[in-house]
Amino acid sequence: MISENQLSPLNLLHRCNSQGFSHAGRVLLAPGETCTLKETMVKKMASKSEGNDRQNSGRPNDSLHLKILERALDYIDDIGIILLLMLAVLGLLGLLQFTHGGVIDPIVNGLNRWFGLGAFLFPLILVLIATYLLRRRLGDRVAIPWTRVISVEIMLFALLGILSAIDGMDLPRAETGMGGGIIGWGISTLLAEVLGRVGSMILLLIVFIAAGVFGIRAILLSALATRETRSRPQQTHEGAVAVGASVVERSEKDASVTPRKTHRLPREYRKDFQVVDQKDDKPSRPMRRDSTLPPMELLEDSPSKRVTSKEINHAAGLIEKTLADFGLPARVVDFRTGPAVTQFAVEPGYVEHVGSDGETKRQKVRVSQISALSSDLALALSAPRLRIEAPVPGQAYVGIEVPNQKATLVRLKPLLQTETFHKTSSPLAIALGRNVAGAAVVADLTSMPHLLIAGTTGSGKSVCITSIATCLSFNNTPEDLRIVMIDPKMVELIRFNGLPHLFGRVETELERIIGVLRWCTVEMDRRYRLLEEAKARDIDMYNQKKKRRKDAEQLPRVVILIDELADLMMMAPDQTEHTLVRLAQMARAVGIHLVVATQRPSTDILTGLIKANFPARISFAVASGIDSRVILDGPGAETLLGKGDMLYLSPEAGAPVRLQGAFVSDKEVEGLIQYWQKEIEDEDVETSVPPWEDLLQRQVVLGDRDDILEQAIELVRQRGEASASMLQRGLRIGYPRAARLMDELEELGVVGRAQSGGRTREVLISDDDDPLEKAAEEEDDESS
């Protein structure tokens, strides 16, 4: 049991202050029994008063006095507002000689004597102070512009001098309350001795007008801004600030929602955070940009929307109150505002319990206890989804991420103009978006070297791929970068048709996509042979060596964008997985990079081999925690909001980072394509033949033929003779398959007719002939 001395009000106050709880501290008396500091003091005083009442019934009840004092402290602002308004009304009536009294008359006479006609401004000042207290009582955090207040005071003193100058600067009249009173007479007389009567009048008028324009205008603007903030839509529960937000800009009709009444928080949970404008992340020096690259004017700027201090303070107070209601004392020590969510830094507090030996012990609130209350916090904040990062990597607090009332649209242009993007001196730098602190996040596709994207339908995958493609083609010429786009959905990436960076057109047919991926592996093997001949370690070293030669081939970087992997894995899982894994394992050194997206992050689509070779991953909103573990190897993506809200797992980072992805409109993509088409007028990009067309035609010819027909053709060309027994030995196959191969070789014109006596057949092709290509051309002629 707790001793009486331990429960004394001073002892409790000292203990709670030492724990950093302030008024929000809670004391754990026994298992399952908690109470606030005020409740404990009330109980203690009540128990004492009950004992005293038994001994002396005529003695006043201390508990009742304490409750009255406690209620008075809660309503001290209300009491101050009422008193100020009463004084303003009584003062105005006294100045108008409508009321008299032993208290009112000395005050009114003093105001008249010292301020003259300016005494009528004092009731107005009292009303303004009462208005400030009322707004603070309603939860508004109004910053007092002291420089403006001082300027208004200067204006008022100038007005007193003007009134005295008009009245004739007569001291006896000033003492009776005429003009500007004694103060106004002193100001006007002093200036008249220095500047003369006319000069003093002119100076006072100039000061009055200048100070009035500066002060009153600023105060009116501040009031209008606060009124606009108060007219924003609020929440239904506890005045919460958090609702699900969309990245897409809402119409004016949707934005004009009638604000709902909010409930006031108890005084001990009120916060006083101030939202400070973030510093611009633009480089100190103007960023130099190649004249051949598109200008920044082709892209659009982001709208400027900020979370208000009132919303931040109310949400922070709700978090503290909700945790305290569950017996978990904690304190919101900081916050970070991003485009879509605000992260509150919550510092766990201490609870006290009595041990078996009767001693009071302090125990830190466990992080897991706070994480377990995510649903209760979401209910209190009226948030559709709420993510708790426990703890924030590298920080000594728990991060509670609350959705903003309205999400801010993140555009690509401001990201490209940041210092972060400028410092990432890589040709394949991509601007992903902004984190929960509003800072730009930039990734380097060269160091990734491949990126895996997953998320449900409508979560933002295609927008992310569009943003990546726009960013790459915006900062690279077609000579330095080529893009392969694969879109089985047929509607998302076709807007890029006509871009000079694009190889051919966007491939949408599943039958052709497998051939395109196969060409990518053939191109990778060809580049490795070129690097071997040049004795270069990677593509950068190879291009540096070839720059010294005029006719040498420069190798551009190649980025392969696949918008939907699930369709490919369902149609040809073995070929797709083998090709992707081989490219992911080897293509980095030769400048080929993969960006693969899927809306089905299941184990049959994202196999272990594919995941092992894609260390960089992005997860948008998914349906369950299981899907989140498949893509990120951990939970969290199931709590995302959608519409561009993502978790980015960098190869260098141990934990994912929450971002709001960049948005690129169709207008921006069209402007980019038109710019590059004007720059490259000598080529018809729309009708250019992709490099994999020959390979696809060969696949058509080989469609119903044997898989090793090409090996058989090469073997016959090397040997200069052909027979079934030779194919058996060279290809290690049986006689029936070798005989069928001989028939197919005869049909393609590779070998002549069978000879009598078992002699070998005549070879009809030379070293430069390609029978498969000829067969493909003949089929094209027949079809046309």
Side-chain angles (χ1 to χ4, degrees):
M1 297 296 294
I2 301 178
S3 64
E4 182 177 347
N5 187 30
Q6 288 177 326
L7 276 180
S8 65
L10 292 178
N11 189 23
L12 285 173
L13 182 61
H14 174 71
R15 285 162 53 190
C16 287
N17 286 338
S18 64
Q19 296 173 19
F21 292 162
S22 183
H23 296 289
R26 301 185 67 87
V27 181
L28 185 61
L29 300 180
E33 182 183 1
T34 62
C35 66
T36 62
L37 174 62
K38 292 192 297 185
E39 292 171 353
T40 305
M41 296 176 65
V42 170
K43 290 179 181 178
K44 177 62 179 175
M45 295 298 295
S47 63
K48 284 187 175 183
S49 64
E50 288 176 1
N52 294 333
D53 289 340
R54 293 190 187 100
Q55 298 176 0
N56 187 4
S57 59
R59 194 172 177 181
N61 194 334
D62 293 339
S63 177
L64 180 61
H65 294 168
L66 183 61
K67 289 182 179 179
I68 295 175
L69 178 61
E70 179 186 356
R71 298 290 290 179
L73 290 175
D74 283 340
Y75 291 96
I76 189 171
D77 283 346
D78 298 336
I79 296 172
I81 293 170
I82 295 173
L83 291 177
L84 288 173
L85 292 178
M86 290 177 56
L87 289 176
V89 173
L90 292 176
L92 181 61
L93 294 176
L95 291 171
L96 295 175
Q97 300 297 320
F98 288 159
T99 183
H100 298 278
V103 177
I104 296 297
D105 288 344
I107 297 176
V108 170
N109 293 334
L111 292 176
N112 285 328
R113 184 170 185 269
W114 286 97
F115 297 97
L117 297 177
F120 287 93
L121 295 174
F122 275 84
L124 177 61
I125 295 174
L126 294 178
V127 172
L128 292 177
I129 298 175
T131 304
Y132 168 76
L133 293 177
L134 178 62
R135 291 177 60 183
R136 191 178 71 173
R137 181 62 172 161
L138 294 176
D140 288 347
R141 298 297 179 185
V142 184
I144 301 177
W146 291 108
T147 56
R148 275 69 174 181
V149 172
I150 294 174
S151 65
V152 173
E153 291 179 352
I154 295 174
M155 179 192 71
L156 296 180
F157 281 112
L159 177 62
L160 297 179
I162 293 173
L163 292 175
S164 295
I166 294 175
D167 192 59
M169 293 186 294
D170 190 1
L171 180 58
R173 287 179 57 82
E175 290 179 344
T176 61
M178 301 304 293
I182 295 177
I183 294 178
W185 172 82
I187 294 173
S188 60
T189 303
L190 178 62
L191 293 178
E193 292 180 356
V194 178
L195 302 175
R197 190 166 184 175
V198 177
S200 64
M201 189 69 177
I202 295 174
L203 177 62
L204 289 172
L205 285 174
I206 293 174
V207 172
F208 176 78
I209 295 174
V213 171
F214 179 76
I216 296 178
R217 178 176 177 272
I219 292 176
L220 290 177
L221 290 177
S222 176
L224 291 175
T226 307
R227 182 180 179 183
E228 181 182 355
T229 301
R230 290 175 56 85
S231 65
R232 294 182 181 178
Q234 303 296 323
Q235 296 306 322
T236 58
H237 177 77
E238 292 287 323
V241 302
V243 296
S246 171
V247 174
V248 182
E249 293 176 299
R250 300 178 183 178
S251 63
E252 293 295 328
K253 182 179 180 180
D254 295 335
S256 60
V257 181
T258 303
R260 300 180 180 178
K261 184 178 179 180
T262 61
H263 297 281
R264 295 195 300 267
L265 286 170
R267 181 178 299 276
E268 59 266 25
Y269 300 114
R270 297 179 191 173
K271 311 298 292 184
D272 195 16
F273 293 123
Q274 296 293 330
V275 177
V276 181
D277 292 337
Q278 295 178 348
K279 296 181 179 179
D280 198 356
D281 195 21
K282 291 185 178 181
S284 56
R285 297 180 179 179
M287 186 172 55
R288 294 182 180 180
R289 187 171 177 83
D290 195 341
S291 59
T292 60
L293 296 177
M296 286 290 180
E297 287 72 19
L298 293 178
L299 303 178
E300 300 178 9
D301 286 316
S302 297
S304 56
K305 295 180 181 179
R306 296 285 305 180
V307 181
T308 62
S309 300
K310 178 182 176 181
E311 296 171 346
I312 294 295
N313 293 322
H314 203 90
L318 280 176
I319 292 174
E320 286 190 2
K321 182 178 181 299
T322 304
L323 293 176
D325 290 342
F326 285 93
L328 301 178
R331 190 164 56 98
V332 177
V333 296
D334 199 0
F335 69 95
R336 298 191 298 173
T337 58
V341 297
T342 297
Q343 185 186 70
F344 293 92
V346 178
E347 186 179 80
Y350 291 87
V351 293
E352 292 189 356
H353 66 279
V354 180
S356 58
D357 54 356
E359 294 184 359
T360 303
K361 298 181 180 179
R362 300 175 63 198
Q363 182 179 353
K364 185 88 169 178
V365 174
R366 294 193 299 271
V367 172
S368 59
Q369 292 177 295
I370 298 178
S371 300
L373 294 178
S374 59
S375 300
D376 300 283
L377 287 170
L379 178 64
L381 294 167
S382 297
R385 292 181 180 182
L386 188 144
R387 177 174 177 261
I388 298 180
E389 193 173 12
V392 177
Q395 303 294 334
Y397 54 77
V398 176
I400 298 180
E401 297 171 356
V402 181
N404 293 338
Q405 210 173 38
K406 287 184 179 180
T408 303
L409 194 65
V410 178
R411 293 283 189 178
L412 185 61
K413 178 180 178 180
L415 296 177
L416 298 181
Q417 293 176 335
T418 58
E419 182 74 21
T420 305
F421 189 87
H422 182 61
K423 289 181 178 179
T424 309
S425 56
S426 172
L428 297 186
I430 51 177
L432 295 178
R434 295 188 182 274
N435 59 15
V436 294
V441 177
V442 180
D444 184 10
L445 196 58
T446 305
S447 60
M448 282 186 182
H450 312 291
L451 180 61
L452 186 62
I453 305 174
T456 58
T457 302
S459 59
K461 301 184 307 298
S462 299
V463 175
C464 180
I465 292 181
T466 301
S467 175
I468 292 174
T470 304
C471 185
L472 293 175
S473 56
F474 198 82
N475 295 290
N476 293 274
T477 62
E479 292 78 14
D480 299 328
L481 173 70
R482 303 307 297 266
I483 300 177
V484 178
M485 287 191 178
I486 296 175
D487 184 15
K489 294 190 292 187
M490 304 182 185
V491 294
E492 297 293 343
L493 298 180
I494 57 174
R495 70 186 83 174
F496 285 96
N497 281 330
L499 183 67
H501 299 72
L502 195 62
F503 272 137
R505 298 175 61 85
V506 179
E507 294 293 341
T508 58
E509 299 178 8
L510 294 176
E511 294 77 9
R512 292 174 56 89
I513 291 174
I514 301 299
V516 173
L517 294 178
R518 186 182 176 188
W519 172 85
C520 293
T521 60
V522 173
E523 175 66 14
M524 179 186 68
D525 295 335
R526 185 184 75 87
R527 292 189 171 205
Y528 266 110
R529 289 193 294 269
L530 292 176
L531 264 64
E532 182 182 7
E533 294 174 359
K535 297 181 180 180
R537 185 173 56 89
D538 53 20
I539 187 174
D540 294 328
M541 186 179 297
Y542 173 84
N543 287 333
Q544 288 179 1
K545 289 185 176 182
K546 295 301 179 180
K547 280 183 180 180
R548 305 168 187 172
R549 303 179 183 178
K550 295 182 180 181
D551 299 333
E553 178 186 5
Q554 294 286 320
L555 296 179
R557 299 180 183 274
V558 177
V559 177
I560 305 170
L561 301 174
I562 304 176
D563 192 16
E564 184 51 64
L565 180 63
D567 293 342
L568 302 180
M569 292 295 292
M570 287 189 295
M571 185 188 72
D574 296 335
Q575 298 180 25
T576 303
E577 181 181 16
H578 173 74
T579 305
L580 287 180
V581 170
R582 190 162 183 268
L583 286 171
Q585 288 175 342
M586 302 178 59
R588 174 182 183 177
V590 294
I592 299 178
H593 304 272
L594 291 166
V595 178
V596 181
T598 180
Q599 64 179 4
R600 287 183 53 192
S602 55
T603 53
D604 58 336
I605 303 299
L606 300 180
T607 62
L609 281 175
I610 293 178
K611 288 178 57 179
N613 293 280
F614 285 81
R617 302 168 194 172
I618 291 177
S619 178
F620 292 89
V622 295
S624 64
I626 298 176
D627 294 340
S628 177
R629 288 182 175 89
V630 171
I631 180 65
L632 294 176
D633 299 327
E638 72 277 5
T639 62
L640 297 177
L641 304 174
K643 301 297 182 181
D645 192 15
M646 70 170 79
L647 287 175
Y648 167 56
L649 181 61
S650 173
E652 297 85 10
V657 180
R658 190 170 188 176
L659 310 176
Q660 181 65 36
F663 176 78
V664 178
S665 63
D666 293 341
K667 180 181 178 181
E668 292 173 301
V669 175
E670 292 174 1
L672 177 65
I673 295 175
Q674 292 176 2
Y675 173 84
W676 282 118
Q677 286 179 346
K678 292 179 181 178
E679 290 292 319
I680 307 177
E681 297 178 351
D682 56 338
E683 296 182 11
D684 191 356
V685 183
E686 289 278 356
T687 59
S688 60
V689 179
W692 51 75
E693 199 63 40
D694 294 339
L695 183 61
L696 294 178
Q697 292 179 356
R698 293 168 68 90
Q699 285 187 350
V700 172
V701 175
L702 295 172
D704 299 330
R705 301 181 186 274
D706 200 305
D707 296 338
I708 61 174
L709 179 59
E710 291 184 274
Q711 301 180 23
I713 294 174
E714 188 64 26
L715 180 62
V716 169
R717 181 185 283 112
Q718 293 176 358
R719 298 287 181 88
E721 58 182 5
S723 64
S725 59
M726 184 199 69
L727 293 178
Q728 282 183 271
R729 295 189 303 272
L731 300 176
R732 297 181 181 182
I733 58 177
Y735 179 78
R737 189 176 185 182
R740 288 194 301 269
L741 281 173
M742 289 299 299
D743 295 339
E744 292 177 357
L745 292 176
E746 181 181 355
E747 182 181 352
L748 292 173
V750 177
V751 298
R753 293 183 298 174
Q755 301 293 325
S756 60
R759 291 180 295 174
T760 59
R761 300 193 184 191
E762 180 184 4
V763 178
L764 303 178
I765 60 173
S766 62
D767 294 340
D768 298 332
D769 292 337
D770 190 349
L772 295 178
E773 183 178 354
K774 292 181 180 179
E777 292 176 356
E778 292 175 0
E779 289 189 5
D780 290 341
D781 294 338
E782 292 177 0
S783 61
S784 60

